[in-house]
Amino acid sequence: MKISRRGFLKISGGVTTGAVLGTFGVHLKSSQAHAQTLKTKYAKETTTICPYCGVGCSEIVSVSNDRVINIEGDPDHPINQGSLCSKGEALIQVANNERRMTKILYRAPYSEKWEEKSWDWAIPEIAKRIKKTRDESWMAKDGKGRVVNRTEALAGLGGAALDNEECYLWSKLARALGIVYLEHQARI
Amino acid sequence: MAEKAILLDMEKCIACRACQVACKQWNELPAEKTTFFAAAGGYQNPIGLSPKTYTLVKFYEHEEQEKLKWLFRVHRCMQCVDPACVKACPVTPVKAMTFDKNTGATHVNRELCIGCGACREYCPFTIPVIDTEAGKSTKCTFCFDRLGDGIEPACAKACPTDCLVFGERDQILQMAHQAKENLEKKGRHPVIYGETELGTGTKKIYVLPEPLDYYPDVVKSPKVSEDLGFFHQMLKPFGTLTLTASLVGMVLAKMKEVKEKDKVKPS
Amino acid sequence: MTNHWIDIKNADCIMIIGSNAAENHPISFRWVNKAMENGAKLISVDPRFTRTSSRADIYAPIRSGSDIAFVDGVMNYIVQNNLFNQEYLVDHTNASFLVNTQFGFSDGLFTGYDGSKRMYKKDTWQYQLDESGNPKKDPTLQDPNCVFQLLKKHLSRYTLEKVSSITGCPAELIVEVAKTYGATGAKDKSATIMYAMGTTQHTVGTQNVRTYAMLQLLLGNVGVAGGGINALRGESNVQGSTDMAILFHILPGYLKTPRVENQTLAEYLEMWTPKSNDPKSANWWQHTPKYTVSLLKAFWGDHATKDNEFAYQYLPKVSANYSHISMFEAMYDGVIKGLICMGQNPAVGGPNVLKERKALEKLDWLVAVDLWETETAAFWSAPGVDPKKIGTEVFMLPAAASMEKEGSITNSGRWSQWRYTAVHPPGDAKSDLWILDQIGKELKKLYQADTGPFPGPIVHLNWNYGPGREEPDVHLVAKEINGYDLTTGKLMASFGALKDDGTTSSGNWLYCASYTEAGNMAARRDPTDAPNKIGLYPKWSWCWPVNRRIIYNRASCDLQGNPYAPHKWVVKWTGPETKWAGDVPDGGWPPGDKYSFIMKPEGHARLFGFGLADGPFPEHYEPLEAPVKNAMSAQQLNPVVKIWSGEMDDVGTVEKYPVIATTYRVTEHWQAGQMTRNNSWLVELMPDMFVEMSKTLAQAKGVKNGDRVRIKTARGEISAYAVVTARFKPFKLNGKSCEQIGLPWHYGYKGLATGHSANSLTPHVGDANTMIPEYKAFLCNVEKEVG
């Protein structure tokens, strides 16, 4: 039986696809007197991979005026074929959520509250802390005089929610800093 | 357009509740405030259908001679082939409870609905819920807006296991019978629900892997109340413009009262 | 996964053990269902009857911490009843290899145990070698020192009665599982194992996985369609983050982290490059020098030269275990001063979380990058904590969500998939890539200005992904990971051409071929299947290594290259001209020219696994906290497990804590909860922390469904709603009834839905090989909450 789960536009095959996949191209049939326009009709669509478990389902994100208006399964994807679980179906609430962090927050020692900060302030401050901790704890050699070139006072945690490119940069930067306490979700 | 239906082959359900969330996502329904779980036997939430919840997964835990069965069922509007809610809807000349000939979907036209509750009163499954704040009836729309564009309903598309399948009703029925046969070969006692119920059947076709007794909330022999004609007769004198929810409510209450007192059989 | 998600449909039998796939990987059931529609049997092995079990043909309950006994029992039945695949064993595994005659096993200990160090000397765990230095073999599998006979002897102790009394699983169910699963020992049948954290989060976690792998090898189920050993990974990119080595013990591409013994590059390569004298062994890791030098070139570019050992000294060298538990013990002890936490929430997800939260208080500073205000970022304002006493500075940086940035992630099936920016992140939120790039640039600036100790690795770090405050070019990073031919400046086509002379670079050799001159392979969307029509979809995205969708696939064929299962062949030899067809083969050599398990120097899969810390064969030991004495030997606990005995590391006894507890996840929440407990639709479905318990335990404690109960262990105490269910049953262990409860571990004190964290109860103890915490089996007591 041939039942389409499509309805979303055909995304062409081939090695590369652009980020923006065009507008919704299906004619809306007037279903009745108060026919309503399909909400995704004029949306910009991109594909994404679900950020939850490790199955790697593809989803189609519909965006209107830089706001996500709909996310549902990508029917062309060979693994999920348009389907999703409850978490995947709820992904739009990650995109549009007033609980999201939108500001850089800083908590001073012994303080009871967050303070809002800017990137221009935070990046140099963080880099200074990293350098200070690294420099103060630097171990060029161990007790037996063997070269170790490491710090045991800096630690890094996390990465399973990052993209590969982000993981790689973090892995590389951490090694350059001499970090050995480098771990993430795969261990636990 | 050939008549459409959704298969609900509950043997395949893993109660992931993608359908329940997909329904909220597409229809932009808010979450309900819940505490713990709404019913024993599993993880059901919220407690029932509501103006915020058109699709609800129910859980049933059964134990017989040490053999445990954990059953699931997707609960919502059955989308009757001959919908009593549409007949009951007193709004005229255009019904608020709409049967859309193009897609076969029965859904509420919120612009016309007066929230009188006649649809719920006459629904053989007591499905529509009145949003008292908005004064509107609410229920599964069969995703008529998607169907109008040749897109399957959000729940059926979301379903990972093809427990929910959208298609032409006669083919869905074939699939249902095939699924039933397969279960019978394994010594199970499945039931098809929705094929012949109410005489003309529904567009939600269930394959329940166990007999109906295992699903105590499923209406065993659904019937449309026989006083539907009488109800409309009672409303006639009021005309169309003055029709309000409270008026219809009064009529419904009056009918109940009369039935109680005189045990009069409506014509 | 050796195989991949779609391939599950090709299985004749599926065993889900240590996993609750229906709940935690729901889309896997799309493919489990397809297999079942084709007649496959589904077996669910779990202490608790789950949504997975509800679909199973056979549900076998075993108490937490008894997997080895269970699978050893199943394997024993398979060996005793000749259900194994002998041809496969001889051709593809080390079953026929002869082992040192001094090797032995007695009362829970293998030969070579040193109790004072809690470790093994492995000199007897070795093959017997012939004159050319290659392992001796007995293809008849009869020699009493061959692996097969040693295994048979080891397994023979796992009788049905014994296994039943250890696991609590009725003997007839063990037989039913063994027969059903064992039927796939037939050449053209296959079965798959789906496992997850229920397997690994034990003090015997690695050996748990090994028992599954061995079962698969006995039946010839590795390398074939519908087979393999499939770890269902819980985060969308935990495969990729592992591949990229955000772990102390490896570098990208599973190269080893230099140890202090490896003082020079030459010493490093000498120790970590395996050797084989057997011309039929591909011994793939012999290429370690090429991958290592190419990595160093990617990291330090022109500053990595032949004269400076390709900047090898820029890499830190380790001399201890720096894994998660060790990290938090060191933090608690004040060794660690600064922590950078990216999208992880250890204040909920870590083991013994009360200790780990306390450890955070001892930091000088914490940088937390996340989409949400997590329990970790806000640890200083946790209930019962006085912020005025905590001196830690905290920087909470807002991160972009998955659809607000561009890049690739790698799923469980090793598919690297590209995703796109759909919208801008809200407010000041930025991608992690941008944050890392900015910090990297700033550090370079600082070290250029003021040298500090050993500035070279930072100042010379290859770090050019875009100017100023702009979003870095993610494609440049992806290309660097793939690698370049430095003589031509062209992208490498595959790792086969990487060199150890500094003329090639590759940030991760396993991803070499992912982004080539032909384009970004991870972005491919061609839905055409391969000619064998088994659902490989070779042109959809890209998978490592070299787009091979089923690894060890040479083992799907006999030594002439004919598939064991012609109706679902993976690869096949089509002749010297046309070579292999189907999937990308595990090396293109003709069949029979090379052994099939190319990553092992002996070319054969190991039934005898001498690489492990705790023994070449899997032996049952009890969890750190167990309700019973070990019925197999006098060794109660895995004898090489590290025992932590600092503050807040208390261990409970069965007298005080008689109930087994385990933790798990649910469909509706994800990991430490930050991505779902802020999501109102998911919170609606699962609003509160709960504990699942049997009707008998509930009755004994006077608890009804929905009551509040307290659960207590030696580490902590929590409160939760009781779900009283027939899905938990007491286990009969050696004649004694023992209850088990289950706790979801998603909850914490931040977010829309809050609740007590199950990890307040779990211990700081880890697997002997990996130090993965033992979240899955510990002891507790349960009481109804009063008032």
Side-chain angles (χ1 to χ4, degrees):
Chain A
M1 181 167 54
K2 183 80 185 141
I3 293 167
S4 167
R5 34 179 60 199
R6 173 169 303 286
F8 290 92
L9 91 156
K10 180 100 177 150
I11 294 157
S12 63
V15 168
T16 50
T17 47
V20 180
L21 300 162
T23 50
F24 194 80
V26 182
H27 289 293
L28 184 82
K29 292 173 201 134
S30 169
S31 67
Q32 57 182 307
H34 77 293
Q36 82 181 65
T37 305
L38 201 70
K39 63 181 175 183
T40 48
K41 189 175 181 186
Y42 299 109
K44 176 189 88 174
E45 292 181 338
T46 53
T47 57
T48 192
I49 303 297
C50 181
Y52 290 105
C53 83
V55 171
C57 298
S58 180
E59 307 191 46
I60 293 178
V61 185
S62 301
V63 172
S64 182
N65 298 321
D66 204 31
R67 185 172 172 83
V68 178
I69 57 161
N70 190 61
I71 300 184
E72 57 184 84
D74 174 357
D76 292 337
H77 197 275
I79 296 175
N80 63 306
Q81 299 178 324
S83 69
L84 291 172
C85 72
S86 41
K87 287 192 291 289
E89 283 292 341
L91 183 60
I92 193 170
Q93 288 198 338
V94 170
N96 304 330
N97 193 317
E98 58 189 27
R99 304 182 64 84
R100 279 281 298 276
M101 298 295 304
T102 58
K103 296 277 181 213
I104 296 98
L105 299 180
Y106 172 71
R107 185 257 177 188
Y110 310 106
S111 167
E112 292 173 90
K113 58 174 190 355
W114 291 115
E115 300 163 45
E116 284 188 10
K117 296 285 184 183
S118 69
W119 285 114
D120 284 339
W121 177 85
I123 295 288
E125 289 299 313
I126 290 167
K128 268 188 257 171
R129 304 280 185 301
I130 294 172
K131 182 170 189 302
K132 181 169 183 283
T133 303
R134 178 186 181 271
D135 292 357
E136 284 171 4
S137 63
W138 187 252
M139 287 173 72
K141 289 183 175 169
D142 69 1
K144 293 180 184 165
R146 296 176 296 185
V147 175
V148 292
N149 286 339
R150 69 180 185 229
T151 167
E152 291 184 354
L154 275 175
L157 200 60
L162 273 54
D163 290 353
N164 282 325
E165 295 72 23
E166 296 169 335
C167 289
Y168 172 76
L169 279 200
W170 178 217
S171 193
K172 178 176 170 177
L173 181 62
R175 264 64 188 221
L177 289 167
I179 292 177
V180 285
Y181 280 112
L182 183 66
E183 288 280 292
H184 81 288
Q185 289 93 334
R187 183 79 63 192
I188 61 167
Chain B
M1 199 189 262
E3 194 154 70
K4 299 289 194 244
I6 293 179
L7 174 72
L8 299 103
D9 179 358
M10 297 318 302
E11 170 68 4
K12 290 185 180 170
C13 179
I14 52 170
C16 71
R17 302 196 267 190
C19 51
Q20 191 171 328
V21 178
C23 179
K24 292 220 167 188
Q25 209 264 162
W26 181 256
N27 292 302
E28 297 175 24
L29 301 174
E32 306 209 25
K33 175 82 188 120
T34 54
T35 304
F36 183 52
F37 296 118
Y43 305 138
Q44 185 192 318
N45 257 333
I47 193 157
L49 299 178
S50 78
K52 295 173 181 172
T53 303
Y54 300 168
T55 297
L56 177 63
V57 176
K58 296 198 169 194
F59 296 72
Y60 312 81
E61 195 177 286
H62 285 281
E63 207 177 9
E64 289 163 349
Q65 287 122 36
E66 295 287 300
K67 181 83 183 154
L68 183 63
K69 290 193 171 99
W70 202 13
L71 307 171
F72 316 120
R73 192 176 68 83
V74 181
H75 177 66
R76 64 322 202 0
C77 168
M78 296 291 292
Q79 293 287 345
C80 299
V81 169
D82 186 13
C85 56
V86 176
K87 287 186 189 149
C89 181
V91 179
T92 55
V94 179
K95 297 260 186 188
M97 186 60 84
T98 313
F99 177 77
D100 174 26
K101 287 200 187 78
N102 184 33
T103 60
T106 301
H107 63 95
V108 179
N109 182 337
R110 287 180 71 91
E111 281 164 37
L112 300 178
C113 181
I114 58 167
C116 69
C119 51
R120 179 176 173 84
E121 188 68 24
Y122 284 96
C123 172
F125 309 98
T126 325
I127 294 290
V129 182
I130 307 305
D131 178 347
T132 46
E133 236 166 76
K136 307 288 173 193
S137 177
T138 62
K139 69 169 199 69
C140 157
T141 69
F142 212 38
C143 283
F144 72 95
D145 47 350
R146 294 168 66 96
L147 291 188
D149 259 10
I151 312 170
E152 66 184 323
C155 57
K157 182 177 171 195
C159 182
T161 58
D162 287 346
C163 157
L164 270 56
V165 178
F166 174 77
E168 288 175 17
R169 191 168 181 271
D170 50 354
Q171 286 171 306
I172 290 295
L173 281 169
Q174 275 178 29
M175 288 171 78
H177 281 278
Q178 186 61 54
K180 179 170 181 268
E181 205 175 291
N182 292 345
L183 283 165
E184 280 166 345
K185 276 186 206 150
K186 291 183 178 176
R188 309 277 292 275
H189 301 92
V191 177
I192 292 180
Y193 187 85
E195 180 177 18
T196 56
E197 272 62 24
L198 303 165
T200 46
T202 63
K203 296 175 187 180
K204 304 283 173 73
I205 307 289
Y206 284 89
V207 179
L208 299 171
E210 304 295 337
L212 282 188
D213 291 346
Y214 284 69
Y215 307 88
D217 59 322
V218 172
V219 183
K220 274 214 178 106
S221 314
K223 269 196 233 24
V224 179
S225 174
E226 290 165 8
D227 64 8
L228 193 49
F230 183 54
F231 167 63
H232 282 297
Q233 255 176 23
M234 297 261 298
L235 282 175
K236 227 167 222 169
F238 299 105
T240 55
L241 293 172
T242 54
L243 207 59
T244 63
S246 53
L247 181 73
V248 176
M250 268 161 55
V251 169
L252 288 169
K254 187 78 193 161
M255 282 174 64
K256 265 185 199 157
E257 205 179 290
V258 169
K259 265 197 282 183
E260 283 296 308
K261 259 189 200 159
D262 308 334
K263 306 219 181 311
V264 174
K265 272 216 153 187
S267 56
Chain C
M1 291 170 94
T2 55
N3 296 41
H4 61 101
W5 296 106
I6 298 166
D7 182 64
I8 295 167
K9 74 171 178 174
N10 296 314
D12 297 296
C13 187
I14 298 162
M15 176 141 67
I16 303 182
I17 178 168
S19 151
N20 178 7
E23 300 196 36
N24 296 321
H25 303 86
I27 306 303
S28 72
F29 259 66
R30 184 166 189 82
W31 303 103
V32 171
N33 257 358
K34 296 236 192 282
M36 291 176 84
E37 278 167 17
N38 295 329
K41 290 271 186 283
L42 176 64
I43 301 167
S44 162
V45 184
D46 201 299
R48 177 181 60 124
F49 192 100
T50 65
R51 286 179 253 190
T52 299
S53 316
S54 77
R55 291 285 292 121
D57 296 289
I58 306 171
Y59 166 61
I62 63 168
R63 67 136 164 146
S64 278
S66 65
D67 291 61
I68 290 176
F70 180 79
V71 183
D72 275 3
V74 167
M75 286 198 284
N76 187 33
Y77 186 94
I78 284 168
V79 169
Q80 297 299 333
N81 293 282
N82 294 314
L83 298 175
F84 54 87
N85 181 337
Q86 180 145 357
E87 178 184 337
Y88 188 96
L89 284 182
V90 173
D91 290 343
H92 303 295
T93 79
N94 69 1
S96 66
F97 289 36
L98 304 190
V99 172
N100 186 313
T101 52
Q102 300 302 305
F103 169 76
F105 175 81
S106 167
D107 197 20
L109 291 174
F110 297 89
T111 43
Y113 185 64
D114 180 345
S116 64
K117 291 185 182 150
R118 292 185 67 81
M119 63 183 287
Y120 282 104
K121 277 204 288 287
K122 298 184 184 174
D123 27 346
T124 61
W125 307 6
Q126 302 295 333
Y127 300 134
Q128 297 179 30
L129 302 178
D130 64 17
E131 314 75 58
S132 32
N134 293 321
K136 287 188 190 169
K137 298 171 194 169
D138 172 20
T140 68
L141 305 183
Q142 295 306 312
D143 190 301
N145 284 312
C146 81
V147 167
F148 184 73
Q149 290 300 329
L150 293 172
L151 174 64
K152 192 171 175 180
K153 192 170 135 200
H154 187 81
L155 294 177
S156 67
R157 300 156 52 242
Y158 290 86
T159 61
L160 285 174
E161 298 68 37
K162 201 88 171 172
V163 171
S164 179
S165 78
I166 293 172
T167 60
C169 184
E172 59 273 18
L173 268 178
I174 303 168
V175 172
E176 201 185 338
V177 170
K179 279 185 177 164
T180 308
Y181 202 81
T184 64
K187 259 199 219 175
D188 60 346
K189 299 278 183 203
S190 61
T192 186
I193 289 183
M194 297 162 68
Y195 77 92
M197 311 317 283
T199 298
T200 57
Q201 290 172 340
H202 292 278
T203 41
V204 291
T206 308
Q207 294 284 3
N208 280 344
V209 181
R210 250 190 79 67
T211 57
Y212 306 168
M214 289 166 68
L215 173 62
Q216 291 296 66
L217 292 171
L218 278 176
L219 299 169
N221 281 338
V222 177
V224 301
I229 169 87
N230 294 303
L232 314 187
R233 310 215 64 171
E235 288 101 349
S236 58
N237 197 32
V238 72
Q239 185 62 57
S241 54
T242 305
D243 301 338
M244 299 302 164
I246 305 184
L247 290 166
F248 88 91
H249 69 292
I250 48 172
L251 295 174
Y254 302 91
L255 299 171
K256 299 289 194 297
T257 295
R259 291 174 27 166
V260 69
E261 294 84 11
N262 313 140
Q263 284 286 295
T264 63
L265 177 62
E267 283 171 9
Y268 170 87
L269 295 177
E270 171 61 25
M271 183 186 258
W272 301 117
T273 310
K275 286 150 202 79
S276 169
N277 295 328
D278 191 336
K280 288 176 84 170
S281 172
N283 183 26
W284 199 263
W285 281 112
Q286 68 173 291
H287 304 296
T288 297
K290 300 170 188 171
Y291 306 154
T292 306
V293 172
S294 296
L295 173 88
L296 292 167
K297 288 298 291 181
F299 276 20
W300 287 291
D302 292 343
H303 297 281
T305 65
K306 214 165 194 159
D307 296 336
N308 72 354
E309 303 176 275
F310 298 105
Y312 169 75
Q313 298 304 342
Y314 282 180
L315 288 173
K317 282 143 198 84
V318 299
S319 42
N321 184 301
Y322 301 90
S323 66
H324 181 102
I325 293 176
S326 313
M327 180 191 288
F328 278 89
E329 291 282 340
M331 203 181 295
Y332 187 90
D333 292 342
V335 176
I336 294 171
K337 305 290 184 197
L339 171 66
I340 299 167
C341 196
M342 308 203 62
Q344 188 167 345
N345 190 8
V348 171
N352 192 359
V353 92
L354 297 179
K355 180 165 191 174
E356 298 204 350
R357 288 176 196 164
K358 203 86 196 156
L360 292 171
E361 295 181 13
K362 309 206 176 174
L363 290 169
D364 288 350
W365 54 267
L366 165 69
V367 176
V369 188
D370 215 296
L371 278 60
W372 322 92
E373 185 189 8
T374 63
E375 285 80 359
T376 301
F379 77 93
W380 48 273
S381 63
V385 172
D386 181 3
K388 292 198 282 296
K389 292 190 176 136
I390 297 171
T392 313
E393 281 184 290
V394 184
F395 301 80
M396 169 86 229
L397 308 181
S402 53
M403 77 296 283
E404 295 158 2
K405 60 185 181 183
E406 188 175 2
S408 69
I409 60 169
T410 304
N411 76 0
S412 269
R414 297 166 285 103
W415 293 20
S416 174
Q417 306 194 84
W418 199 261
R419 57 187 180 191
Y420 301 90
T421 309
V423 281
H424 291 98
D428 290 341
K430 289 284 188 185
S431 72
D432 297 273
L433 197 74
W434 183 90
I435 295 168
L436 286 163
D437 184 47
Q438 290 300 318
I439 293 175
K441 282 173 179 161
E442 194 68 26
L443 282 165
K444 275 173 98 70
K445 221 158 64 186
L446 286 179
Y447 277 94
Q448 265 151 7
D450 158 25
T451 56
F454 208 52
I458 303 157
V459 173
H460 296 151
L461 192 64
N462 209 7
W463 199 270
N464 300 297
Y465 308 109
R469 286 286 158 93
E470 283 177 25
E471 181 70 24
D473 184 349
V474 67
H475 293 269
L476 284 177
V477 185
K479 288 174 183 175
E480 178 178 323
I481 294 169
N482 178 82
Y484 294 93
D485 179 335
L486 299 172
T487 58
T488 63
K490 290 253 186 340
L491 289 159
M492 296 296 294
S494 95
F495 54 65
L498 290 175
K499 294 197 174 71
D500 61 3
D501 61 2
T503 58
T504 60
S505 72
S506 176
N508 188 336
W509 71 275
L510 266 186
Y511 283 74
C512 192
S514 65
Y515 206 128
T516 68
E517 291 294 327
N520 182 0
M521 296 294 146
R524 296 182 305 167
R525 290 178 62 92
D526 181 339
T528 319
D529 202 358
N532 45 7
K533 299 278 177 217
I534 54 169
L536 299 177
Y537 299 102
K539 294 174 186 169
W540 191 281
S541 75
W542 177 87
C543 104
W544 68 253
V546 286
N547 208 31
R548 181 176 302 132
R549 305 277 159 149
I550 297 179
I551 56 180
Y552 309 121
N553 56 28
R554 286 171 76 92
S556 68
C557 292
D558 63 19
L559 298 186
Q560 285 71 49
N562 303 310
Y564 293 127
H567 63 290
K568 49 180 177 184
W569 62 281
V570 183
V571 291
K572 66 178 170 196
W573 182 252
T574 60
E577 299 292 304
T578 46
K579 302 193 187 322
W580 293 95
D583 197 5
V584 177
D586 248 322
W589 316 280
D593 278 19
K594 295 280 181 203
Y595 302 131
S596 44
F597 283 83
I598 63 170
M599 301 313 284
K600 291 277 169 260
E602 67 272 43
H604 290 70
R606 289 177 181 169
L607 285 169
F608 183 81
F610 46 86
L612 282 85
D614 45 359
F617 291 133
E619 172 68 5
H620 170 74
Y621 303 106
E622 289 293 338
L624 177 70
E625 292 183 342
V628 289
K629 285 245 172 311
N630 188 356
M632 294 306 295
S633 74
Q635 297 299 320
Q636 177 71 3
L637 179 68
N638 186 339
V640 301
V641 157
K642 180 172 172 62
I643 310 283
W644 298 92
S645 51
E647 286 172 34
M648 299 181 81
D649 281 330
D650 300 309
V651 177
T653 60
V654 67
E655 289 72 32
K656 214 169 165 191
Y657 302 103
V659 177
I660 309 168
T662 195
T663 62
Y664 44 76
R665 295 176 286 149
V666 298
T667 310
E668 299 80 357
H669 283 299
W670 188 73
Q671 307 297 348
Q674 60 270 38
M675 286 285 285
T676 53
R677 283 189 289 108
N678 284 302
N679 184 317
S680 64
W681 289 329
L682 299 171
V683 165
E684 171 194 304
L685 297 174
M686 286 268 181
D688 295 297
M689 175 63 188
F690 61 93
V691 51
E692 290 185 296
M693 63 174 73
S694 74
K695 291 177 176 173
T696 46
L697 179 61
Q699 197 176 24
K701 300 288 181 182
V703 171
K704 291 190 304 297
N705 193 56
D707 282 351
R708 298 289 299 176
V709 292
R710 297 195 77 78
I711 307 103
K712 196 175 176 187
T713 71
R715 273 79 50 195
E717 186 174 348
I718 64 165
S719 168
Y721 284 102
V723 171
V724 178
T725 173
R727 295 178 292 101
F728 253 127
K729 290 268 195 288
F731 293 98
K732 260 231 159 64
L733 307 179
N734 214 1
K736 176 187 148 198
S737 179
C738 192
E739 294 282 357
Q740 178 164 349
I741 61 156
L743 302 150
W745 63 269
H746 304 291
Y747 293 90
Y749 43 82
K750 285 281 165 187
L752 206 54
T754 56
H756 284 180
S757 303
N759 279 319
S760 302
L761 307 175
T762 53
H764 254 194
V765 67
D767 169 62
N769 292 280
T770 62
M771 202 70 96
I772 288 179
E774 189 159 66
Y775 292 108
K776 287 294 184 269
F778 52 96
L779 292 179
C780 74
N781 203 1
V782 182
E783 295 297 341
K784 186 173 173 176
E785 201 162 82
V786 265

